[in-house]
Amino acid sequence: MIRRNLFSQADDRFRLHVADFLDSEIAPYHRDWEMQGWIPRNAWLKAGAAGLLCRTAPRSHGGLDAPFTESVVITEELAKRRLSGFLIFLQSDIVAPYFLKLATEIQKQDYVPDLCSGAKLGAIAMTEPQSGSEVAHMKTSVTRADGDFVINGEKKHISNGFLADVIVVAARNAGLALNQAPQLSLLIVDANTQGLSRARIPKAGMRALDTSTLIFDECHVGGEKLLGAEGRGLFYLLTFLGLERLMLAIYAQASAVTILQELISFCGRRKTSTGSLVDYQVNYCRLADLYGECTVNQAYIDACIIEHAHCGLDPRAASLAKLRATETLKSICALSVQLRGAQGVSGVSGERCTQDLLDSSVQSIWGGASEVLRDVIGRSLANSV
Ligand SMILES: Cc1cc2nc3c(=O)[nH]c(=O)nc-3n(C[C@H](O)[C@H](O)[C@H](O)COP(=O)(O)OP(=O)(O)OC[C@H]3O[C@@H](n4cnc5c(N)ncnc54)[C@H](O)[C@@H]3O)c2cc1C
């Protein structure tokens, strides 16, 4: 892979700290957590104590004012170890920014220090049974009643939805017909709020990640729980989706590099009557193509990281980064099963390879399915001519 220029020496030292923490506190238990389908709270508290949660948040709110490259380091180290349930970036770079950018000072003081320490786990709830890709068409409603907000509806496939102490919920302002321009609002819902019930969803990919259904039945939250301006929810979601997609691209890319390296070394070791698997032209050409895709993706993602850190990332660039990284990852995982033959589907290596393939399938769906990303990119190109 080409030399990467975006990390400082401090980032390199920080990478060792992250690696130590993950190797001692998370990796040894992750397989058990895959079986149970969620990560215990203690692991989050340990990550908070090790300074790994919400590091880029300001010191005034419990963070460390760390550069964004440290979020990148954490995300890459998680992916390299296949720690698919312990998604620190979900807390730090997907949920926390809603509070850091939109919350009032009181809301920040109420939530951000706890997100940094791991005392509170956060989630973001957009998806519904009938509107995943079409986020603007969500049906969960929010109505004003005597200064409170009342939420009714159902959210689905919410990461950390069962474990979360605080959930940012997107809902449609009631009173508007479904075919009118959508007016969404964001509400902060504490997990113990009456009218909220939750259930875990069993799933095959990303098995250690708690993924849950949330039901809101006359769920009352105080007027002070509005996040940002009323009716601006869709704008906020689309804005924050940029960083979400970049984080998912970074995670997918680090997985792709790891799995491709393992596959190349397997092909070198796997002997055939005339040499090894990597000696067949048909195989080394496919590996060369995937290596090429991975290398170009890395350069593009690194450029996006720099752009995000300095001046904010264009949504089209983030969509392209996620699309390319996740599709390349899926191709690598499919080839990794195929070139291992029976070993790709049986025994310990088969378990790992088929799990990689399932995990990669999740990645080309969540945060915007590949088809939707192509749509976003294509439309923005059409609008620019
Ligand atoms: C493990 C996991 C964690 C998740 N975490 C969260 C979370 O924390 N918060 C949250 O809000 N959501 C979360 N999601 C939901 C995720 O964002 C949605 O699954 C995703 O947006 C796709 O929505 P959907 O599943 O309803 O699929 P649908 O919208 O029903 O789409 C199904 C398929 O139809 C095709 N399709 C859809 N639209 C188009 C189009 N315009 N053009 C062409 N083809 C199209 C695509 O192939 C797509 O995969 C999570 C999902 C998973 C699997």
Side-chain angles (χ1 to χ4, degrees):
M1 219 41 74
I2 53 168
R3 184 191 297 274
R4 302 173 68 195
N5 293 322
L6 74 163
F7 297 114
S8 65
Q9 287 184 348
D11 291 332
D12 294 340
R13 284 193 299 277
F14 177 62
R15 195 180 282 278
L16 298 177
H17 168 60
V18 176
D20 270 356
F21 174 82
L22 296 179
D23 286 338
S24 59
E25 301 293 348
I26 306 298
Y29 314 104
H30 196 265
R31 206 177 144 69
D32 290 344
W33 298 340
E34 282 186 345
M35 298 300 149
Q36 69 178 16
W38 49 279
I39 306 279
R41 170 55 55 99
N42 202 28
W44 291 100
L45 288 168
K46 283 183 180 170
L52 298 189
L53 299 180
C54 307
R55 287 178 71 83
T56 57
R59 284 184 188 275
S60 53
H61 293 96
L64 290 163
D65 272 320
F68 178 63
T69 44
E70 293 192 1
S71 285
V72 178
V73 166
I74 294 173
T75 305
E76 290 180 347
E77 293 304 310
L78 288 168
K80 278 187 205 168
R81 292 166 179 75
R82 296 176 166 85
L83 302 175
S84 54
F86 192 58
L87 298 183
I88 290 180
F89 63 86
L90 181 64
Q91 173 97 337
S92 305
D93 305 291
I94 295 180
V95 175
Y98 282 90
F99 288 91
L100 291 167
K101 296 272 169 29
L102 301 178
T104 62
E105 188 50 36
I106 294 177
Q107 290 170 335
K108 282 183 191 164
Q109 294 295 351
D110 279 351
Y111 292 101
V112 179
D114 285 345
L115 292 173
C116 295
S117 68
K120 279 195 166 76
L121 205 55
I124 166 84
M126 300 177 242
T127 303
E128 300 185 357
Q130 297 305 322
S131 68
S133 301
E134 294 186 298
V135 74
H137 291 259
M138 64 177 64
K139 293 199 173 101
T140 295
S141 67
V142 55
T143 324
R144 274 190 177 271
D146 299 330
D148 280 359
F149 290 102
V150 186
I151 309 171
N152 280 291
E154 179 178 344
K155 297 290 178 185
K156 198 132 199 196
H157 309 298
I158 305 307
S159 300
N160 286 342
F162 197 86
L163 296 168
D165 305 280
V166 54
I167 304 153
V168 175
V169 178
R172 169 179 290 269
N173 293 95
L176 291 172
L178 280 178
N179 59 359
Q180 279 184 280
Q183 277 229 341
L184 309 183
S185 293
L186 303 184
L187 283 309
I188 302 170
V189 180
D190 295 306
N192 56 6
T193 309
Q194 273 218 335
L196 167 63
S197 54
R198 312 188 268 187
R200 287 204 174 93
I201 305 171
K203 64 185 188 320
M206 299 286 189
R207 286 190 303 165
L209 178 66
D210 159 30
T211 309
S212 297
T213 297
L214 313 178
I215 310 267
F216 300 89
D217 181 9
E218 294 294 304
C219 178
H220 282 247
V221 297
E224 76 285 358
K225 298 292 185 182
L226 178 69
L227 189 58
E230 196 171 0
R232 293 280 285 161
L234 184 58
F235 171 76
Y236 298 142
L237 293 179
L238 296 180
T239 305
F240 287 99
L241 264 175
L243 178 55
E244 175 171 339
R245 286 178 180 158
L246 177 59
M247 297 315 299
L248 297 176
I250 294 165
Y251 185 81
Q253 171 66 16
S255 304
V257 170
T258 304
I259 296 168
L260 182 60
Q261 278 167 350
E262 289 172 2
L263 178 58
I264 293 169
S265 102
F266 170 82
C267 289
R269 287 195 314 272
R270 179 72 173 148
K271 296 300 169 208
T272 66
S273 61
T274 51
S276 71
L277 269 187
V278 83
D279 295 324
Y280 293 114
Q281 190 178 29
V282 66
N283 292 340
Y284 67 67
C285 286
R286 282 158 100 188
L287 291 170
D289 283 347
L290 289 170
Y291 174 79
E293 276 183 45
C294 249
T295 306
V296 171
N297 291 352
Q298 188 70 73
Y300 185 67
I301 290 169
D302 286 357
C304 289
I305 291 167
I306 292 169
E307 191 157 306
H308 169 74
H310 290 143
C311 49
L313 185 61
D314 164 44
R316 182 167 75 193
S319 298
L320 184 56
K322 187 201 174 245
L323 172 65
R324 289 205 51 129
T326 56
E327 287 298 320
T328 300
L329 171 63
K330 232 165 41 171
S331 304
I332 290 170
C333 292
L335 189 62
S336 160
V337 171
Q338 181 68 21
L339 289 186
R340 283 179 168 84
Q343 290 183 50
V345 289
S346 60
V348 176
S349 69
E351 215 177 292
R352 197 186 59 236
C353 294
T354 49
Q355 192 59 53
D356 285 344
L357 190 54
L358 287 167
D359 290 353
S360 74
S361 301
V362 169
Q363 297 189 56
S364 62
I365 293 172
W366 66 5
S370 291
E371 292 78 2
V372 172
L373 299 181
R374 288 192 179 93
D375 200 52
V376 169
I377 297 162
R379 276 174 202 272
S380 85
L381 291 177
N383 289 338
S384 67
V385 290

mmCIF file of all heavy atoms in Angstrom, residues 99-128:
data_model
loop_
_atom_site.group_PDB
_atom_site.id
_atom_site.type_symbol
_atom_site.label_atom_id
_atom_site.label_comp_id
_atom_site.label_asym_id
_atom_site.label_seq_id
_atom_site.Cartn_x
_atom_site.Cartn_y
_atom_site.Cartn_z
ATOM 1 N N PHE A 99 -24.711 16.448 19.339
ATOM 2 C CA PHE A 99 -24.733 17.243 20.572
ATOM 3 C C PHE A 99 -23.765 18.414 20.466
ATOM 4 O O PHE A 99 -24.069 19.536 20.849
ATOM 5 C CB PHE A 99 -24.370 16.356 21.776
ATOM 6 C CG PHE A 99 -25.468 15.385 22.123
ATOM 7 C CD1 PHE A 99 -25.500 14.114 21.577
ATOM 8 C CD2 PHE A 99 -26.485 15.769 22.978
ATOM 9 C CE1 PHE A 99 -26.523 13.235 21.877
ATOM 10 C CE2 PHE A 99 -27.515 14.896 23.289
ATOM 11 C CZ PHE A 99 -27.533 13.616 22.735
ATOM 12 N N LEU A 100 -22.591 18.131 19.941
ATOM 13 C CA LEU A 100 -21.564 19.181 19.906
ATOM 14 C C LEU A 100 -21.952 20.335 18.991
ATOM 15 O O LEU A 100 -21.652 21.487 19.263
ATOM 16 C CB LEU A 100 -20.228 18.585 19.453
ATOM 17 C CG LEU A 100 -19.601 17.634 20.476
ATOM 18 C CD1 LEU A 100 -18.459 16.844 19.863
ATOM 19 C CD2 LEU A 100 -19.121 18.417 21.694
ATOM 20 N N LYS A 101 -22.652 20.015 17.903
ATOM 21 C CA LYS A 101 -22.963 21.059 16.918
ATOM 22 C C LYS A 101 -24.341 21.682 17.120
ATOM 23 O O LYS A 101 -24.564 22.827 16.738
ATOM 24 C CB LYS A 101 -22.880 20.470 15.498
ATOM 25 C CG LYS A 101 -21.491 19.987 15.103
ATOM 26 C CD LYS A 101 -20.707 21.133 14.493
ATOM 27 C CE LYS A 101 -19.243 20.937 14.276
ATOM 28 N NZ LYS A 101 -18.661 19.681 14.033
ATOM 29 N N LEU A 102 -25.285 20.935 17.694
ATOM 30 C CA LEU A 102 -26.667 21.441 17.728
ATOM 31 C C LEU A 102 -27.183 21.770 19.116
ATOM 32 O O LEU A 102 -28.159 22.508 19.260
ATOM 33 C CB LEU A 102 -27.625 20.391 17.120
ATOM 34 C CG LEU A 102 -27.374 19.948 15.677
ATOM 35 C CD1 LEU A 102 -28.393 18.882 15.265
ATOM 36 C CD2 LEU A 102 -27.470 21.144 14.734
ATOM 37 N N ALA A 103 -26.569 21.184 20.150
ATOM 38 C CA ALA A 103 -27.161 21.280 21.484
ATOM 39 C C ALA A 103 -26.973 22.669 22.098
ATOM 40 O O ALA A 103 -26.020 23.378 21.773
ATOM 41 C CB ALA A 103 -26.533 20.219 22.392
ATOM 42 N N THR A 104 -27.891 23.010 23.001
ATOM 43 C CA THR A 104 -27.707 24.214 23.812
ATOM 44 C C THR A 104 -26.600 23.916 24.822
ATOM 45 O O THR A 104 -26.235 22.746 25.030
ATOM 46 C CB THR A 104 -28.991 24.533 24.603
ATOM 47 O OG1 THR A 104 -29.241 23.434 25.496
ATOM 48 C CG2 THR A 104 -30.185 24.743 23.684
ATOM 49 N N GLU A 105 -26.100 24.957 25.481
ATOM 50 C CA GLU A 105 -25.021 24.740 26.452
ATOM 51 C C GLU A 105 -25.497 23.795 27.564
ATOM 52 O O GLU A 105 -24.747 22.906 27.989
ATOM 53 C CB GLU A 105 -24.562 26.093 27.014
ATOM 54 C CG GLU A 105 -23.319 26.020 27.880
ATOM 55 C CD GLU A 105 -22.156 25.262 27.236
ATOM 56 O OE1 GLU A 105 -21.956 25.343 26.013
ATOM 57 O OE2 GLU A 105 -21.443 24.540 27.988
ATOM 58 N N ILE A 106 -26.744 23.959 27.985
ATOM 59 C CA ILE A 106 -27.245 23.083 29.070
ATOM 60 C C ILE A 106 -27.298 21.637 28.581
ATOM 61 O O ILE A 106 -26.886 20.702 29.290
ATOM 62 C CB ILE A 106 -28.643 23.549 29.537
ATOM 63 C CG1 ILE A 106 -28.509 24.911 30.197
ATOM 64 C CG2 ILE A 106 -29.274 22.544 30.500
ATOM 65 C CD1 ILE A 106 -29.818 25.529 30.637
ATOM 66 N N GLN A 107 -27.799 21.438 27.377
ATOM 67 C CA GLN A 107 -27.856 20.060 26.830
ATOM 68 C C GLN A 107 -26.447 19.478 26.723
ATOM 69 O O GLN A 107 -26.222 18.311 27.035
ATOM 70 C CB GLN A 107 -28.524 20.064 25.450
ATOM 71 C CG GLN A 107 -30.025 20.351 25.481
ATOM 72 C CD GLN A 107 -30.589 20.579 24.077
ATOM 73 O OE1 GLN A 107 -29.876 20.973 23.148
ATOM 74 N NE2 GLN A 107 -31.888 20.333 23.920
ATOM 75 N N LYS A 108 -25.502 20.312 26.280
ATOM 76 C CA LYS A 108 -24.118 19.802 26.180
ATOM 77 C C LYS A 108 -23.618 19.352 27.544
ATOM 78 O O LYS A 108 -23.051 18.266 27.680
ATOM 79 C CB LYS A 108 -23.185 20.886 25.626
ATOM 80 C CG LYS A 108 -23.295 21.070 24.133
ATOM 81 C CD LYS A 108 -22.290 22.104 23.657
ATOM 82 C CE LYS A 108 -22.589 22.473 22.209
ATOM 83 N NZ LYS A 108 -21.944 23.680 21.772
ATOM 84 N N GLN A 109 -23.824 20.208 28.549
ATOM 85 C CA GLN A 109 -23.332 19.849 29.890
ATOM 86 C C GLN A 109 -24.023 18.584 30.393
ATOM 87 O O GLN A 109 -23.423 17.773 31.097
ATOM 88 C CB GLN A 109 -23.575 21.004 30.887
ATOM 89 C CG GLN A 109 -22.772 22.272 30.589
ATOM 90 C CD GLN A 109 -21.263 22.078 30.732
ATOM 91 O OE1 GLN A 109 -20.786 21.056 31.211
ATOM 92 N NE2 GLN A 109 -20.484 23.071 30.278
ATOM 93 N N ASP A 110 -25.292 18.407 30.003
ATOM 94 C CA ASP A 110 -26.044 17.235 30.468
ATOM 95 C C ASP A 110 -25.548 15.929 29.845
ATOM 96 O O ASP A 110 -25.677 14.871 30.445
ATOM 97 C CB ASP A 110 -27.541 17.380 30.109
ATOM 98 C CG ASP A 110 -28.258 18.268 31.115
ATOM 99 O OD1 ASP A 110 -27.637 18.601 32.143
ATOM 100 O OD2 ASP A 110 -29.425 18.630 30.860
ATOM 101 N N TYR A 111 -25.068 16.006 28.603
ATOM 102 C CA TYR A 111 -24.805 14.752 27.893
ATOM 103 C C TYR A 111 -23.354 14.518 27.476
ATOM 104 O O TYR A 111 -22.869 13.383 27.513
ATOM 105 C CB TYR A 111 -25.703 14.661 26.640
ATOM 106 C CG TYR A 111 -27.162 14.506 27.003
ATOM 107 C CD1 TYR A 111 -28.038 15.583 26.955
ATOM 108 C CD2 TYR A 111 -27.659 13.277 27.436
ATOM 109 C CE1 TYR A 111 -29.378 15.449 27.318
ATOM 110 C CE2 TYR A 111 -28.994 13.132 27.793
ATOM 111 C CZ TYR A 111 -29.845 14.217 27.734
ATOM 112 O OH TYR A 111 -31.153 14.074 28.112
ATOM 113 N N VAL A 112 -22.672 15.563 27.012
ATOM 114 C CA VAL A 112 -21.371 15.308 26.369
ATOM 115 C C VAL A 112 -20.330 14.708 27.331
ATOM 116 O O VAL A 112 -19.666 13.721 26.971
ATOM 117 C CB VAL A 112 -20.844 16.572 25.642
ATOM 118 C CG1 VAL A 112 -19.484 16.300 25.006
ATOM 119 C CG2 VAL A 112 -21.842 17.009 24.575
ATOM 120 N N PRO A 113 -20.185 15.216 28.571
ATOM 121 C CA PRO A 113 -19.174 14.590 29.443
ATOM 122 C C PRO A 113 -19.436 13.099 29.653
ATOM 123 O O PRO A 113 -18.490 12.301 29.701
ATOM 124 C CB PRO A 113 -19.316 15.380 30.757
ATOM 125 C CG PRO A 113 -19.892 16.702 30.344
ATOM 126 C CD PRO A 113 -20.803 16.401 29.198
ATOM 127 N N ASP A 114 -20.717 12.725 29.750
ATOM 128 C CA ASP A 114 -21.041 11.304 29.945
ATOM 129 C C ASP A 114 -20.795 10.468 28.683
ATOM 130 O O ASP A 114 -20.469 9.281 28.772
ATOM 131 C CB ASP A 114 -22.500 11.141 30.389
ATOM 132 C CG ASP A 114 -22.685 11.543 31.843
ATOM 133 O OD1 ASP A 114 -21.676 11.665 32.559
ATOM 134 O OD2 ASP A 114 -23.844 11.732 32.257
ATOM 135 N N LEU A 115 -20.972 11.085 27.521
ATOM 136 C CA LEU A 115 -20.642 10.363 26.287
ATOM 137 C C LEU A 115 -19.128 10.141 26.216
ATOM 138 O O LEU A 115 -18.656 9.112 25.731
ATOM 139 C CB LEU A 115 -21.115 11.140 25.047
ATOM 140 C CG LEU A 115 -22.635 11.258 24.839
ATOM 141 C CD1 LEU A 115 -22.942 12.190 23.667
ATOM 142 C CD2 LEU A 115 -23.273 9.890 24.583
ATOM 143 N N CYS A 116 -18.373 11.116 26.718
ATOM 144 C CA CYS A 116 -16.901 11.008 26.700
ATOM 145 C C CYS A 116 -16.411 9.938 27.680
ATOM 146 O O CYS A 116 -15.429 9.241 27.411
ATOM 147 C CB CYS A 116 -16.254 12.335 27.072
ATOM 148 S SG CYS A 116 -16.559 13.652 25.896
ATOM 149 N N SER A 117 -17.074 9.809 28.814
ATOM 150 C CA SER A 117 -16.592 8.854 29.824
ATOM 151 C C SER A 117 -17.142 7.450 29.598
ATOM 152 O O SER A 117 -16.641 6.488 30.167
ATOM 153 C CB SER A 117 -17.015 9.322 31.220
ATOM 154 O OG SER A 117 -18.425 9.213 31.344
ATOM 155 N N GLY A 118 -18.186 7.346 28.787
ATOM 156 C CA GLY A 118 -18.827 6.034 28.604
ATOM 157 C C GLY A 118 -19.944 5.802 29.616
ATOM 158 O O GLY A 118 -20.599 4.764 29.582
ATOM 159 N N ALA A 119 -20.162 6.772 30.499
ATOM 160 C CA ALA A 119 -21.270 6.630 31.469
ATOM 161 C C ALA A 119 -22.598 6.617 30.733
ATOM 162 O O ALA A 119 -23.567 6.013 31.192
ATOM 163 C CB ALA A 119 -21.237 7.777 32.472
ATOM 164 N N LYS A 120 -22.642 7.313 29.599
ATOM 165 C CA LYS A 120 -23.841 7.254 28.752
ATOM 166 C C LYS A 120 -23.437 6.764 27.367
ATOM 167 O O LYS A 120 -22.425 7.192 26.815
ATOM 168 C CB LYS A 120 -24.479 8.635 28.618
ATOM 169 C CG LYS A 120 -25.345 9.047 29.789
ATOM 170 C CD LYS A 120 -26.217 10.242 29.409
ATOM 171 C CE LYS A 120 -27.325 10.467 30.408
ATOM 172 N NZ LYS A 120 -26.945 11.058 31.651
ATOM 173 N N LEU A 121 -24.286 5.867 26.850
ATOM 174 C CA LEU A 121 -24.085 5.385 25.485
ATOM 175 C C LEU A 121 -25.159 6.046 24.616
ATOM 176 O O LEU A 121 -26.308 6.167 25.047
ATOM 177 C CB LEU A 121 -24.258 3.865 25.489
ATOM 178 C CG LEU A 121 -23.569 3.087 24.393
ATOM 179 C CD1 LEU A 121 -22.082 3.377 24.354
ATOM 180 C CD2 LEU A 121 -23.792 1.593 24.633
ATOM 181 N N GLY A 122 -24.771 6.486 23.430
ATOM 182 C CA GLY A 122 -25.722 7.201 22.577
ATOM 183 C C GLY A 122 -26.101 6.404 21.340
ATOM 184 O O GLY A 122 -25.406 5.466 20.943
ATOM 185 N N ALA A 123 -27.230 6.798 20.743
ATOM 186 C CA ALA A 123 -27.668 6.180 19.478
ATOM 187 C C ALA A 123 -28.356 7.255 18.645
ATOM 188 O O ALA A 123 -28.796 8.273 19.175
ATOM 189 C CB ALA A 123 -28.622 5.026 19.768
ATOM 190 N N ILE A 124 -28.418 7.000 17.346
ATOM 191 C CA ILE A 124 -29.152 7.905 16.460
ATOM 192 C C ILE A 124 -30.219 7.078 15.734
ATOM 193 O O ILE A 124 -29.912 6.041 15.146
ATOM 194 C CB ILE A 124 -28.195 8.641 15.483
ATOM 195 C CG1 ILE A 124 -28.967 9.324 14.340
ATOM 196 C CG2 ILE A 124 -27.142 7.733 14.872
ATOM 197 C CD1 ILE A 124 -29.493 10.667 14.714
ATOM 198 N N ALA A 125 -31.459 7.536 15.818
ATOM 199 C CA ALA A 125 -32.577 6.742 15.282
ATOM 200 C C ALA A 125 -33.278 7.466 14.151
ATOM 201 O O ALA A 125 -34.037 8.411 14.373
ATOM 202 C CB ALA A 125 -33.564 6.428 16.407
ATOM 203 N N MET A 126 -32.965 7.015 12.928
ATOM 204 C CA MET A 126 -33.633 7.556 11.735
ATOM 205 C C MET A 126 -34.508 6.492 11.087
ATOM 206 O O MET A 126 -35.657 6.712 10.757
ATOM 207 C CB MET A 126 -32.597 7.960 10.666
ATOM 208 C CG MET A 126 -31.617 8.995 11.048
ATOM 209 S SD MET A 126 -30.461 9.249 9.669
ATOM 210 C CE MET A 126 -28.961 8.765 10.442
ATOM 211 N N THR A 127 -33.913 5.303 10.885
ATOM 212 C CA THR A 127 -34.541 4.273 10.051
ATOM 213 C C THR A 127 -35.839 3.752 10.653
ATOM 214 O O THR A 127 -35.956 3.578 11.859
ATOM 215 C CB THR A 127 -33.555 3.101 9.864
ATOM 216 O OG1 THR A 127 -32.358 3.626 9.299
ATOM 217 C CG2 THR A 127 -34.113 2.018 8.973
ATOM 218 N N GLU A 128 -36.800 3.486 9.770
ATOM 219 C CA GLU A 128 -38.086 2.907 10.175
ATOM 220 C C GLU A 128 -38.377 1.697 9.294
ATOM 221 O O GLU A 128 -37.748 1.531 8.244
ATOM 222 C CB GLU A 128 -39.188 3.953 10.011
ATOM 223 C CG GLU A 128 -38.915 5.179 10.862
ATOM 224 C CD GLU A 128 -40.037 6.204 10.821
ATOM 225 O OE1 GLU A 128 -41.019 5.999 10.084
ATOM 226 O OE2 GLU A 128 -39.901 7.200 11.549
#
